[in-house]
Amino acid sequence: MKHLFPKFIFITSFFLLTGCKKNENEAITTSEIPQNSIEYASGLSIVKHEGYSIVTVSNPWPNADKNFKYILKEKDAEVPDSLHSYTTIKVPLESVVVTSTTNIPFLEMLDVENKLTGFPHTDYISSEKTRDLIDKGSVKNVGQNEKLNMEQLIELSPDLIVTFGVDNNNPMLDNLKKSGLSVLIQADWMEQSPLGKAEWIKLYGALFGKEDKAKELFDKIVTSYNQALKLVADKPAASTVLYGSMYEDVWYVAKGNSWVAQFLKDAKTNYLWSDLKGTGSQGLSFEKVLDKAKTANFWIVSGSFRTLDELQKANPHYAEFDAFANKSVYCLESKFGATGGTIYYEVSPSRPDLVLKDYIKIFHPDLLPGYEFTFATKLN
């Protein structure tokens, strides 16, 4: 939750300066002061005013040296002069280009996928609804994230391009702006809170004039996630868990404050690297991982493995883990769309409740006896 203390200071100061009056005799209520509608996401703020909203995107990439502020302006609305220096976006949008598959579910949940006109490398999209639009030619392939097709984007002339940056050096972003295209930097991928990632649906609600719908959908996800938490509230974190796999000669383990580690914590497990501070991952040698996790009860493997035999062919030493011998290995990344897009990568950020339920089904199967996995596959 966002801390309310700074808002309290602001409101108190406001009361002192105005004598707690409005129109001489009417008391000012806190409900009349615009509030940030974001509760869980750390990198997003949306403050609604009459006729316009102020969107602030902070921490857009690791070690970012700047934030981004956008003014979402409704038709005929008046925006204060003090905000004219920020990028103004006319809403609701009639057309959009997004550059991450994680944005696709948000569009579909709000029933605005038909507003999508372009996407880089459309094969990555697995959703059947949006794939149908691609097959009909309504959504154009606009290149790659790092090498977007500028000529095609200019020809499409979308109302907005929603994209992201990876560091403080983003020449592609500069080129988009120089071409006169309207660009918004989003940072849902930087969120480490499962519900924080999902709350970015509210940005798309603001962009398409569907704030109420976005809030309704997000509130349902929060309720579903909290219901899953209640299932394991009294369960001990007994099962030891290994996560990941080798990439070339390095095993990248999720750090203790990462998105992955939060799910494992919420599912009441003993994740073996939960004490490793920080977000993201850390590279380790196979020997160090084996030494710590040889006897782990479960292994959540990263990659698109579907069978234990396929896993062992990738690295014969994988068979040395007890979880492998006991057939307690699961993969969340082995289900694909028609053109090879990974369903987990596309859908999981917007539906953390389903991810958590998959984990609970793995580690506490008795709690969800009739539940079928959304993402997970047990390797046999």
Side-chain angles (χ1 to χ4, degrees), residues 26 39 45 52 61 67 84-86 121 140 165 190 214 223 241 311 316 325 336 365 369 373:
E26 293 181 41
E39 301 177 75
S45 168
Y52 68 95
W61 50 74
N67 298 332
H84 286 178
S85 61
Y86 300 111
H121 206 312
K140 305 296 184 184
M190 287 290 292
T223 298
V241 180
L311 184 61
F336 304 97
F373 289 129

Side-chain angles (χ1 to χ4, degrees), residues 119-330:
F119 186 88
H121 206 312
T122 50
D123 285 351
Y124 289 154
I125 297 176
S126 58
S127 167
E128 292 182 5
K129 286 178 69 176
T130 303
R131 285 234 58 83
D132 185 53
L133 294 172
I134 295 168
D135 294 341
K136 290 177 179 178
S138 301
V139 180
K140 305 296 184 184
N141 191 327
V142 294
Q144 303 294 326
N145 278 324
E146 298 79 13
K147 296 181 180 180
L148 295 175
N149 188 322
M150 300 299 296
E151 291 183 1
Q152 191 171 27
L153 286 171
I154 292 172
E155 183 178 346
L156 285 174
S157 188
D159 289 345
L160 184 67
I161 298 173
V162 180
T163 187
F164 60 91
V166 295
D167 54 36
N168 289 311
N169 181 30
N170 292 293
M172 177 53 65
L173 301 182
D174 295 334
N175 290 337
L176 289 171
K177 294 175 182 178
K178 288 177 182 177
S179 299
L181 296 165
S182 184
V183 180
L184 183 147
I185 306 298
Q186 60 93 20
D188 62 343
W189 66 285
M190 287 290 292
E191 298 286 346
Q192 301 306 318
S193 157
L195 290 175
K197 279 186 186 289
E199 194 170 19
W200 281 73
I201 190 175
K202 292 181 180 179
L203 170 63
Y204 295 88
L207 289 172
F208 289 96
K210 294 200 171 190
E211 291 95 339
D212 291 344
K213 180 68 172 178
K215 183 180 185 306
E216 177 188 348
L217 290 166
F218 179 67
D219 287 348
K220 288 181 179 179
I221 292 170
V222 172
T223 298
S224 179
Y225 197 93
N226 288 335
Q227 287 173 343
L229 288 176
K230 289 180 181 179
L231 290 175
V232 294
D234 298 326
K235 289 287 184 178
S239 298
T240 52
V241 180
L242 164 66
Y243 188 95
S245 60
M246 295 290 289
Y247 179 74
E248 296 181 347
D249 296 326
V250 180
W251 192 305
Y252 292 95
V253 297
K255 293 183 179 180
N257 302 111
S258 66
W259 188 63
V260 167
Q262 186 61 54
F263 277 120
L264 296 176
K265 178 183 178 181
D266 287 350
K268 283 297 183 73
T269 74
N270 177 14
Y271 172 52
L272 292 174
W273 279 271
S274 62
D275 60 346
L276 187 59
K277 302 299 182 183
T279 60
S281 60
Q282 179 167 318
L284 298 174
S285 67
F286 177 84
E287 291 75 18
K288 284 190 175 181
V289 174
L290 180 64
D291 181 61
K292 188 167 187 173
K294 184 185 186 307
T295 60
N297 303 123
F298 292 90
W299 178 7
I300 307 299
V301 66
S302 58
S304 57
F305 300 105
R306 299 183 181 184
T307 67
L308 291 173
D309 182 60
E310 186 180 341
L311 184 61
Q312 189 171 13
K313 285 180 179 177
N315 190 324
H317 294 292
Y318 286 157
E320 298 178 40
F321 291 101
D322 288 359
F324 184 98
N326 297 330
K327 297 183 179 181
S328 297
V329 184
Y330 293 79

Side-chain angles (χ1 to χ4, degrees), residues 36-52:
N36 177 18
S37 63
I38 302 302
E39 301 177 75
Y40 297 86
S42 62
L44 177 65
S45 168
I46 303 177
V47 179
K48 179 77 172 178
H49 296 262
E50 186 175 352
Y52 68 95

